[in-house]
Amino acid sequence: MELKCCGLFGFILLTSLALDGIPAFSVTTSNAKPTVKENQTVDLYCEYSADFQNPRVEWKFKNPSGSTTFVFYSAQITDKYKNHGVTTPNNGKSIHFVTATRQDTGTYDCEVTSITTGDFRSVSIYLLVQVPPTSPQCRIPDTVTTGTAVTLKCQDSACSPACTYRWFKDKMLMPVDPKGSSAFANSSYSINSNSGDLVFSSVSKADAGTFSCEAANNIGSPLTCTAAQMLVEDKNVGGIVAAVVIVLLILALLGVGLWFAYRRGYFQKKTQSKPNVIYQPAERATNEDFKQTSSFVV
């Protein structure tokens, strides 16, 4: 009877909460997308409704690559985050980062479970640790050949949020669409501002120059990689012609050698000598040969 009474009381309490606009077994946060500059402090907050009887609170972290680890488990901070200077005031309702680093960027799940009833709810918080650009890494070829496809690369993997990129040729900003600029109208290239790739579909002599790339994300000052020169050379037509001439000379010498060997008889088949045989016609038989020299009497 007591269980029925408590169950009825719980039902009435939940109904009352619902009517008052407070959802039953709810987990919320006051800031679902906090941002903080690197090496500064930040707090993540988690609130849950009073109907969680004997609540158990856990915090999980998922990094951008998808790996998940516990931050707060079994009513205490895990060893990894203790060493990182993370604390959990308010019985796990919040976690405090003394010094947030770029590795702390990711999704934090606050999960609350009622040990008494087994009810479970959670809320996700995405923490963005802001990192200004560093000097980007640029890959610019020294020499390329006319007519070939060429890709110049620029990347800064540390900046957060992710950087966008701009390319410069001879200290002049390269527009995303070369046809919209008289200075680059004769070029055939494309720029991916998100990946940092500068692609020439068919490089020409006019594309030669000194290139540099700028990385920016509105957190710190934009930074540029060291400028490097790219030379564009014509195809080595003289070398191709010389190679063809050499091949023809080799074939000619080979032909002369074969002709000379043939003339000397190196390719003639040796014939076996046959013995000389003289054929004489058989002597004609005469009547004398068939005369009866003896007679026989039977």
Side-chain angles (χ1 to χ4, degrees):
M1 187 68 181
E2 182 179 357
L3 293 175
K4 290 182 180 180
C5 177
C6 293
L8 179 61
F9 175 77
F11 175 77
I12 295 173
L13 175 62
L14 294 178
T15 304
S16 175
L17 290 173
L19 292 175
D20 291 339
I22 303 175
F25 295 109
S26 64
V27 178
T28 59
T29 181
S30 58
N31 188 0
K33 294 182 179 180
T35 60
V36 62
K37 291 185 178 180
E38 190 172 32
N39 299 323
Q40 293 186 358
T41 61
V42 64
D43 292 276
L44 309 183
Y45 297 98
C46 172
E47 295 288 340
Y48 52 88
S49 56
D51 49 347
F52 279 97
Q53 301 177 38
N54 194 11
R56 182 180 67 228
V57 180
E58 296 174 349
W59 285 84
K60 294 179 182 178
F61 169 66
K62 181 187 292 185
N63 63 22
S65 64
S67 177
T68 302
T69 56
F70 276 103
V71 180
F72 184 73
Y73 183 75
S74 296
Q76 61 181 352
I77 291 289
T78 58
D79 292 338
K80 175 181 178 180
Y81 285 90
K82 281 181 182 178
N83 298 330
H84 188 35
V86 177
T87 59
T88 54
N90 303 322
N91 297 322
K93 288 186 176 182
S94 65
I95 54 177
H96 175 74
F97 290 84
V98 177
T99 303
T101 66
R102 63 192 68 185
Q103 288 79 18
D104 297 323
T105 292
T107 301
Y108 293 81
D109 291 329
C110 175
E111 301 177 351
V112 183
T113 304
S114 173
I115 298 176
T116 302
T117 64
D119 289 282
F120 166 84
R121 298 290 187 276
S122 67
V123 65
S124 295
I125 302 170
Y126 184 80
L127 172 63
L128 176 63
V129 180
Q130 299 173 333
V131 181
T134 59
S135 182
Q137 299 295 320
C138 292
R139 287 189 288 172
I140 302 170
D142 297 328
T143 305
V144 296
T145 305
T146 55
T148 59
V150 179
T151 300
L152 283 65
K153 290 186 172 293
C154 178
Q155 185 66 40
D156 179 6
S157 57
C159 58
S160 176
C163 283
T164 57
Y165 304 93
R166 300 193 301 173
W167 280 93
F168 296 83
K169 177 189 174 186
D170 298 328
K171 298 183 179 180
M172 182 181 298
L173 177 63
M174 300 178 68
V176 175
D177 183 9
K179 304 305 179 185
S181 171
S182 58
F184 297 94
N186 295 326
S187 297
S188 58
Y189 68 82
S190 61
I191 296 177
N192 189 323
S193 300
N194 295 320
S195 68
D197 288 351
L198 168 59
V199 181
F200 292 92
S201 57
S202 180
V203 71
S204 65
K205 297 282 287 186
D207 295 321
T210 301
F211 293 86
S212 61
C213 170
E214 178 191 86
N217 67 352
N218 296 324
I219 302 303
S221 300
L223 291 180
T224 306
C225 68
T226 302
Q229 187 177 22
M230 183 181 75
L231 300 177
V232 181
E233 296 181 350
D234 290 325
K235 292 181 180 179
N236 190 4
V237 178
I240 297 174
V241 172
V244 172
V245 171
I246 292 173
V247 171
L248 291 177
L249 287 175
I250 293 174
L251 293 176
L253 291 174
L254 182 60
V256 171
L258 292 174
W259 176 83
F260 181 77
Y262 179 80
R263 295 285 295 175
R264 295 295 298 271
Y266 290 110
F267 296 106
Q268 293 181 0
K269 293 183 179 180
K270 295 181 179 181
T271 57
Q272 295 181 352
S273 60
K274 295 182 179 180
N276 294 329
V277 179
I278 301 174
Y279 294 94
Q280 294 182 352
E283 295 182 358
R284 298 182 63 182
T286 60
N287 292 332
E288 297 291 335
D289 296 329
F290 294 97
K291 286 184 179 181
Q292 184 175 348
T293 56
S294 301
S295 59
F296 297 91
V297 179
V298 178

